[in-house]
Amino acid sequence: MQPAAIKHRRSVALLHATLPYLIVVAVLLAWELLVRVNGIQPIYLPAPSSILRYLVAMLLDGSLSYHLSITFMRIMAGFLIAAASGILVGVAMGISPLAARIIDPWIAALYPLPKISLIPLLIIWLGTGESYKIVISAVTAFFPVVISTFAAIRQVDPELIKAAKDLGATPHQRQIKVVIPASLPGIFSGLHLGMGVTIIMVVAAEMIGGSSDSGVGYVLVHGGQVMQTEKVCAALIALAVFGAVLTNVQKRLDRLVAPWADEKH
């Protein structure tokens, strides 16, 4: 290959790698200029530099890490409950037609129900403490995990199961060594969906019915009440980064647990 062609390919690769970041920088600069040139008051639209100052201040005084850690624990508590129960129910539905017939009507009826509408009922039953936040987190994540697990098991290639049967594998061995591993990509997709909706619902629960002064939802509500738009924006940015980190950690765990499944995503 000619040196000019190699140089061109490297330039294109560099551009592809840096373009997303350049666009982000351009948007932030345009935002900063818009606020400063038009003299927009921070209460309506703070400049990125002002948001950054608030973000740094919250990092330095430890308040941001404290609230994020509380929200993280609530998310993980509910998510782990939903993941364990959702996978078990989804697997049962996938391998047992009877279980599918019994459970499917309940899933079909309850899944479309907006989970945020359960908050008033859960507050009546559980109060506004930690139990309420964990339960709404678990309920929200449960349905995507169940549905994805059930669909993944039903979509396993029948030829794989037939080949295992021809090789003398028992029904139990076929389920454990063929069906479950082949279903992992779909199960992982359900776990990713469950994590996403869990983050949303935990923050919403902290905003709507939080009895404690902790969590990112509390920071958002408190910042809005005292008209600190910069604080609200800083908390939103922190929450977005937090969600992105959780998603990337999930993907890495997926590859660690089942490297073959990553090829099918």
Side-chain angles (χ1 to χ4, degrees), residues 3 6 15 21-22 27 30 35 46 57 61 96 105 108 122 124 137 143 148 167 176 193 201 210 215 238 247:
I6 295 175
L15 179 62
Y21 303 101
L22 293 175
V27 170
V35 171
D61 65 17
S96 170
L122 291 176
I124 293 172
S137 168
F143 290 97
S148 296
L167 291 172
I176 298 299
L193 290 173
M201 286 306 302
T247 300

PDB file of all heavy atoms in Angstrom, residues 3 6 15 21-22 27 30 35 46 57 61 96 105 108 122 124 137 143 148 167 176 193 201 210 215 238 247:
ATOM      1  N   PRO A   3       2.324   4.974   0.669  1.00  0.00           N
ATOM      2  CA  PRO A   3       2.352   5.797   1.892  1.00  0.00           C
ATOM      3  C   PRO A   3       1.220   6.814   1.956  1.00  0.00           C
ATOM      4  O   PRO A   3       0.674   7.070   3.031  1.00  0.00           O
ATOM      5  CB  PRO A   3       3.717   6.486   1.800  1.00  0.00           C
ATOM      6  CG  PRO A   3       4.555   5.562   0.964  1.00  0.00           C
ATOM      7  CD  PRO A   3       3.611   4.967  -0.034  1.00  0.00           C
ATOM      8  N   ILE A   6      -1.906   5.047   3.077  1.00  0.00           N
ATOM      9  CA  ILE A   6      -1.835   4.731   4.508  1.00  0.00           C
ATOM     10  C   ILE A   6      -2.101   5.980   5.343  1.00  0.00           C
ATOM     11  O   ILE A   6      -2.846   5.937   6.331  1.00  0.00           O
ATOM     12  CB  ILE A   6      -0.447   4.144   4.846  1.00  0.00           C
ATOM     13  CG1 ILE A   6      -0.249   2.808   4.137  1.00  0.00           C
ATOM     14  CG2 ILE A   6      -0.301   3.979   6.357  1.00  0.00           C
ATOM     15  CD1 ILE A   6       1.136   2.222   4.315  1.00  0.00           C
ATOM     16  N   LEU A  15     -10.217  10.937  12.407  1.00  0.00           N
ATOM     17  CA  LEU A  15     -11.410  11.779  12.339  1.00  0.00           C
ATOM     18  C   LEU A  15     -12.615  11.055  12.924  1.00  0.00           C
ATOM     19  O   LEU A  15     -13.393  11.640  13.688  1.00  0.00           O
ATOM     20  CB  LEU A  15     -11.689  12.178  10.889  1.00  0.00           C
ATOM     21  CG  LEU A  15     -12.933  13.042  10.653  1.00  0.00           C
ATOM     22  CD1 LEU A  15     -12.801  14.368  11.383  1.00  0.00           C
ATOM     23  CD2 LEU A  15     -13.165  13.267   9.159  1.00  0.00           C
ATOM     24  N   TYR A  21     -16.325  13.733  19.934  1.00  0.00           N
ATOM     25  CA  TYR A  21     -15.859  14.663  20.964  1.00  0.00           C
ATOM     26  C   TYR A  21     -15.812  16.097  20.436  1.00  0.00           C
ATOM     27  O   TYR A  21     -16.120  17.052  21.162  1.00  0.00           O
ATOM     28  CB  TYR A  21     -14.480  14.233  21.463  1.00  0.00           C
ATOM     29  CG  TYR A  21     -14.447  12.825  21.998  1.00  0.00           C
ATOM     30  CD1 TYR A  21     -13.952  11.776  21.227  1.00  0.00           C
ATOM     31  CD2 TYR A  21     -14.936  12.522  23.262  1.00  0.00           C
ATOM     32  CE1 TYR A  21     -13.937  10.480  21.706  1.00  0.00           C
ATOM     33  CE2 TYR A  21     -14.925  11.228  23.759  1.00  0.00           C
ATOM     34  CZ  TYR A  21     -14.432  10.213  22.981  1.00  0.00           C
ATOM     35  OH  TYR A  21     -14.420   8.926  23.461  1.00  0.00           O
ATOM     36  N   LEU A  22     -15.427  16.243  19.180  1.00  0.00           N
ATOM     37  CA  LEU A  22     -15.394  17.582  18.576  1.00  0.00           C
ATOM     38  C   LEU A  22     -16.799  18.181  18.507  1.00  0.00           C
ATOM     39  O   LEU A  22     -16.983  19.383  18.740  1.00  0.00           O
ATOM     40  CB  LEU A  22     -14.781  17.508  17.171  1.00  0.00           C
ATOM     41  CG  LEU A  22     -13.302  17.147  17.100  1.00  0.00           C
ATOM     42  CD1 LEU A  22     -12.859  16.985  15.648  1.00  0.00           C
ATOM     43  CD2 LEU A  22     -12.457  18.211  17.788  1.00  0.00           C
ATOM     44  N   VAL A  27     -20.833  22.053  20.492  1.00  0.00           N
ATOM     45  CA  VAL A  27     -22.143  22.346  21.084  1.00  0.00           C
ATOM     46  C   VAL A  27     -21.979  23.142  22.374  1.00  0.00           C
ATOM     47  O   VAL A  27     -22.701  24.123  22.622  1.00  0.00           O
ATOM     48  CB  VAL A  27     -22.919  21.042  21.345  1.00  0.00           C
ATOM     49  CG1 VAL A  27     -24.166  21.311  22.191  1.00  0.00           C
ATOM     50  CG2 VAL A  27     -23.314  20.382  20.033  1.00  0.00           C
ATOM     51  N   ALA A  30     -20.995  26.730  21.527  1.00  0.00           N
ATOM     52  CA  ALA A  30     -22.151  27.462  21.014  1.00  0.00           C
ATOM     53  C   ALA A  30     -23.110  27.821  22.144  1.00  0.00           C
ATOM     54  O   ALA A  30     -23.668  28.923  22.192  1.00  0.00           O
ATOM     55  CB  ALA A  30     -22.865  26.623  19.946  1.00  0.00           C
ATOM     56  N   VAL A  35     -25.472  32.014  25.687  1.00  0.00           N
ATOM     57  CA  VAL A  35     -25.842  32.551  26.996  1.00  0.00           C
ATOM     58  C   VAL A  35     -25.187  33.902  27.235  1.00  0.00           C
ATOM     59  O   VAL A  35     -25.827  34.861  27.682  1.00  0.00           O
ATOM     60  CB  VAL A  35     -25.448  31.551  28.108  1.00  0.00           C
ATOM     61  CG1 VAL A  35     -25.619  32.188  29.493  1.00  0.00           C
ATOM     62  CG2 VAL A  35     -26.279  30.286  27.998  1.00  0.00           C
ATOM     63  N   PRO A  46     -28.247  28.330  32.451  1.00  0.00           N
ATOM     64  CA  PRO A  46     -26.881  28.637  32.886  1.00  0.00           C
ATOM     65  C   PRO A  46     -25.866  28.252  31.812  1.00  0.00           C
ATOM     66  O   PRO A  46     -26.096  27.332  31.017  1.00  0.00           O
ATOM     67  CB  PRO A  46     -26.712  27.779  34.138  1.00  0.00           C
ATOM     68  CG  PRO A  46     -27.655  26.648  33.945  1.00  0.00           C
ATOM     69  CD  PRO A  46     -28.825  27.199  33.180  1.00  0.00           C
ATOM     70  N   ALA A  57     -17.548  21.981  42.541  1.00  0.00           N
ATOM     71  CA  ALA A  57     -17.791  22.266  43.965  1.00  0.00           C
ATOM     72  C   ALA A  57     -18.466  21.082  44.657  1.00  0.00           C
ATOM     73  O   ALA A  57     -18.109  20.718  45.790  1.00  0.00           O
ATOM     74  CB  ALA A  57     -18.648  23.524  44.094  1.00  0.00           C
ATOM     75  N   ASP A  61     -16.717  18.979  47.768  1.00  0.00           N
ATOM     76  CA  ASP A  61     -17.286  18.901  49.121  1.00  0.00           C
ATOM     77  C   ASP A  61     -17.861  17.519  49.453  1.00  0.00           C
ATOM     78  O   ASP A  61     -18.353  17.281  50.559  1.00  0.00           O
ATOM     79  CB  ASP A  61     -18.351  19.983  49.350  1.00  0.00           C
ATOM     80  CG  ASP A  61     -19.586  19.816  48.466  1.00  0.00           C
ATOM     81  OD1 ASP A  61     -19.792  18.725  47.912  1.00  0.00           O
ATOM     82  OD2 ASP A  61     -20.350  20.791  48.321  1.00  0.00           O
ATOM     83  N   SER A  96     -41.092 -24.573  30.196  1.00  0.00           N
ATOM     84  CA  SER A  96     -42.321 -25.254  30.605  1.00  0.00           C
ATOM     85  C   SER A  96     -43.537 -24.575  29.968  1.00  0.00           C
ATOM     86  O   SER A  96     -43.896 -23.456  30.354  1.00  0.00           O
ATOM     87  CB  SER A  96     -42.461 -25.232  32.130  1.00  0.00           C
ATOM     88  OG  SER A  96     -43.742 -25.681  32.517  1.00  0.00           O
ATOM     89  N   PRO A 105     -50.460 -14.517  31.023  1.00  0.00           N
ATOM     90  CA  PRO A 105     -51.544 -13.532  31.155  1.00  0.00           C
ATOM     91  C   PRO A 105     -51.230 -12.439  32.181  1.00  0.00           C
ATOM     92  O   PRO A 105     -51.608 -11.271  31.981  1.00  0.00           O
ATOM     93  CB  PRO A 105     -52.744 -14.374  31.593  1.00  0.00           C
ATOM     94  CG  PRO A 105     -52.435 -15.757  31.121  1.00  0.00           C
ATOM     95  CD  PRO A 105     -50.955 -15.894  31.249  1.00  0.00           C
ATOM     96  N   ALA A 108     -48.721 -10.088  30.535  1.00  0.00           N
ATOM     97  CA  ALA A 108     -49.396  -9.283  29.515  1.00  0.00           C
ATOM     98  C   ALA A 108     -50.253  -8.193  30.134  1.00  0.00           C
ATOM     99  O   ALA A 108     -50.382  -7.092  29.572  1.00  0.00           O
ATOM    100  CB  ALA A 108     -50.250 -10.188  28.632  1.00  0.00           C
ATOM    101  N   LEU A 122     -47.558   2.217  46.651  1.00  0.00           N
ATOM    102  CA  LEU A 122     -46.414   1.728  47.420  1.00  0.00           C
ATOM    103  C   LEU A 122     -46.111   2.623  48.616  1.00  0.00           C
ATOM    104  O   LEU A 122     -45.681   2.139  49.666  1.00  0.00           O
ATOM    105  CB  LEU A 122     -45.179   1.622  46.515  1.00  0.00           C
ATOM    106  CG  LEU A 122     -45.231   0.519  45.449  1.00  0.00           C
ATOM    107  CD1 LEU A 122     -43.995   0.580  44.565  1.00  0.00           C
ATOM    108  CD2 LEU A 122     -45.346  -0.846  46.104  1.00  0.00           C
ATOM    109  N   ILE A 124     -48.385   4.210  50.312  1.00  0.00           N
ATOM    110  CA  ILE A 124     -49.399   3.850  51.312  1.00  0.00           C
ATOM    111  C   ILE A 124     -49.003   2.565  52.027  1.00  0.00           C
ATOM    112  O   ILE A 124     -49.115   2.449  53.258  1.00  0.00           O
ATOM    113  CB  ILE A 124     -50.780   3.689  50.641  1.00  0.00           C
ATOM    114  CG1 ILE A 124     -51.272   5.042  50.113  1.00  0.00           C
ATOM    115  CG2 ILE A 124     -51.799   3.111  51.626  1.00  0.00           C
ATOM    116  CD1 ILE A 124     -52.519   4.938  49.270  1.00  0.00           C
ATOM    117  N   SER A 137     -38.018  -0.105  42.222  1.00  0.00           N
ATOM    118  CA  SER A 137     -36.883  -0.432  41.359  1.00  0.00           C
ATOM    119  C   SER A 137     -36.974  -1.865  40.858  1.00  0.00           C
ATOM    120  O   SER A 137     -36.807  -2.139  39.662  1.00  0.00           O
ATOM    121  CB  SER A 137     -35.579  -0.214  42.134  1.00  0.00           C
ATOM    122  OG  SER A 137     -34.477  -0.760  41.455  1.00  0.00           O
ATOM    123  N   PHE A 143     -40.006  -6.869  34.638  1.00  0.00           N
ATOM    124  CA  PHE A 143     -40.719  -7.231  33.415  1.00  0.00           C
ATOM    125  C   PHE A 143     -39.821  -7.288  32.175  1.00  0.00           C
ATOM    126  O   PHE A 143     -39.924  -8.247  31.399  1.00  0.00           O
ATOM    127  CB  PHE A 143     -41.898  -6.284  33.206  1.00  0.00           C
ATOM    128  CG  PHE A 143     -43.000  -6.482  34.213  1.00  0.00           C
ATOM    129  CD1 PHE A 143     -43.090  -5.681  35.336  1.00  0.00           C
ATOM    130  CD2 PHE A 143     -43.924  -7.492  34.068  1.00  0.00           C
ATOM    131  CE1 PHE A 143     -44.078  -5.868  36.281  1.00  0.00           C
ATOM    132  CE2 PHE A 143     -44.933  -7.703  34.998  1.00  0.00           C
ATOM    133  CZ  PHE A 143     -45.008  -6.891  36.117  1.00  0.00           C
ATOM    134  N   SER A 148     -37.517 -10.676  28.049  1.00  0.00           N
ATOM    135  CA  SER A 148     -36.336 -10.944  27.222  1.00  0.00           C
ATOM    136  C   SER A 148     -35.821 -12.361  27.437  1.00  0.00           C
ATOM    137  O   SER A 148     -35.404 -13.026  26.480  1.00  0.00           O
ATOM    138  CB  SER A 148     -35.241  -9.926  27.539  1.00  0.00           C
ATOM    139  OG  SER A 148     -35.645  -8.621  27.201  1.00  0.00           O
ATOM    140  N   LEU A 167     -26.537 -36.564  20.535  1.00  0.00           N
ATOM    141  CA  LEU A 167     -25.284 -36.927  21.190  1.00  0.00           C
ATOM    142  C   LEU A 167     -25.509 -37.581  22.550  1.00  0.00           C
ATOM    143  O   LEU A 167     -24.549 -37.913  23.252  1.00  0.00           O
ATOM    144  CB  LEU A 167     -24.399 -35.689  21.353  1.00  0.00           C
ATOM    145  CG  LEU A 167     -23.831 -35.106  20.054  1.00  0.00           C
ATOM    146  CD1 LEU A 167     -23.144 -33.779  20.317  1.00  0.00           C
ATOM    147  CD2 LEU A 167     -22.851 -36.100  19.413  1.00  0.00           C
ATOM    148  N   ILE A 176     -29.283 -26.962  30.476  1.00  0.00           N
ATOM    149  CA  ILE A 176     -28.179 -26.289  31.162  1.00  0.00           C
ATOM    150  C   ILE A 176     -27.028 -25.973  30.210  1.00  0.00           C
ATOM    151  O   ILE A 176     -26.433 -24.882  30.276  1.00  0.00           O
ATOM    152  CB  ILE A 176     -27.672 -27.148  32.346  1.00  0.00           C
ATOM    153  CG1 ILE A 176     -28.793 -27.334  33.381  1.00  0.00           C
ATOM    154  CG2 ILE A 176     -26.449 -26.500  32.991  1.00  0.00           C
ATOM    155  CD1 ILE A 176     -29.289 -26.034  33.989  1.00  0.00           C
ATOM    156  N   LEU A 193     -31.892  -3.469  29.547  1.00  0.00           N
ATOM    157  CA  LEU A 193     -33.148  -2.712  29.595  1.00  0.00           C
ATOM    158  C   LEU A 193     -33.604  -2.505  31.036  1.00  0.00           C
ATOM    159  O   LEU A 193     -34.052  -1.418  31.417  1.00  0.00           O
ATOM    160  CB  LEU A 193     -34.230  -3.447  28.798  1.00  0.00           C
ATOM    161  CG  LEU A 193     -34.081  -3.479  27.284  1.00  0.00           C
ATOM    162  CD1 LEU A 193     -35.130  -4.390  26.668  1.00  0.00           C
ATOM    163  CD2 LEU A 193     -34.213  -2.078  26.702  1.00  0.00           C
ATOM    164  N   MET A 201     -36.558   4.966  37.425  1.00  0.00           N
ATOM    165  CA  MET A 201     -37.589   4.876  38.457  1.00  0.00           C
ATOM    166  C   MET A 201     -37.055   5.165  39.844  1.00  0.00           C
ATOM    167  O   MET A 201     -37.763   5.719  40.688  1.00  0.00           O
ATOM    168  CB  MET A 201     -38.240   3.499  38.426  1.00  0.00           C
ATOM    169  CG  MET A 201     -39.184   3.291  37.254  1.00  0.00           C
ATOM    170  SD  MET A 201     -40.464   4.560  37.139  1.00  0.00           S
ATOM    171  CE  MET A 201     -41.243   4.407  38.735  1.00  0.00           C
ATOM    172  N   GLY A 210     -39.553  10.867  48.500  1.00  0.00           N
ATOM    173  CA  GLY A 210     -38.396  10.649  49.345  1.00  0.00           C
ATOM    174  C   GLY A 210     -38.572  11.267  50.724  1.00  0.00           C
ATOM    175  O   GLY A 210     -38.876  12.448  50.845  1.00  0.00           O
ATOM    176  N   GLY A 215     -29.786  11.092  47.816  1.00  0.00           N
ATOM    177  CA  GLY A 215     -30.070  10.602  46.476  1.00  0.00           C
ATOM    178  C   GLY A 215     -30.061  11.711  45.453  1.00  0.00           C
ATOM    179  O   GLY A 215     -30.289  12.890  45.769  1.00  0.00           O
ATOM    180  N   ALA A 238     -24.106  14.658  36.012  1.00  0.00           N
ATOM    181  CA  ALA A 238     -23.526  13.578  36.822  1.00  0.00           C
ATOM    182  C   ALA A 238     -24.331  12.293  36.670  1.00  0.00           C
ATOM    183  O   ALA A 238     -23.763  11.195  36.579  1.00  0.00           O
ATOM    184  CB  ALA A 238     -23.463  14.007  38.283  1.00  0.00           C
ATOM    185  N   THR A 247     -23.706   1.240  32.384  1.00  0.00           N
ATOM    186  CA  THR A 247     -23.943   0.490  31.151  1.00  0.00           C
ATOM    187  C   THR A 247     -22.662  -0.159  30.644  1.00  0.00           C
ATOM    188  O   THR A 247     -22.656  -1.334  30.236  1.00  0.00           O
ATOM    189  CB  THR A 247     -24.520   1.418  30.073  1.00  0.00           C
ATOM    190  OG1 THR A 247     -25.764   1.964  30.528  1.00  0.00           O
ATOM    191  CG2 THR A 247     -24.761   0.657  28.775  1.00  0.00           C
TER     192      THR A 247
END
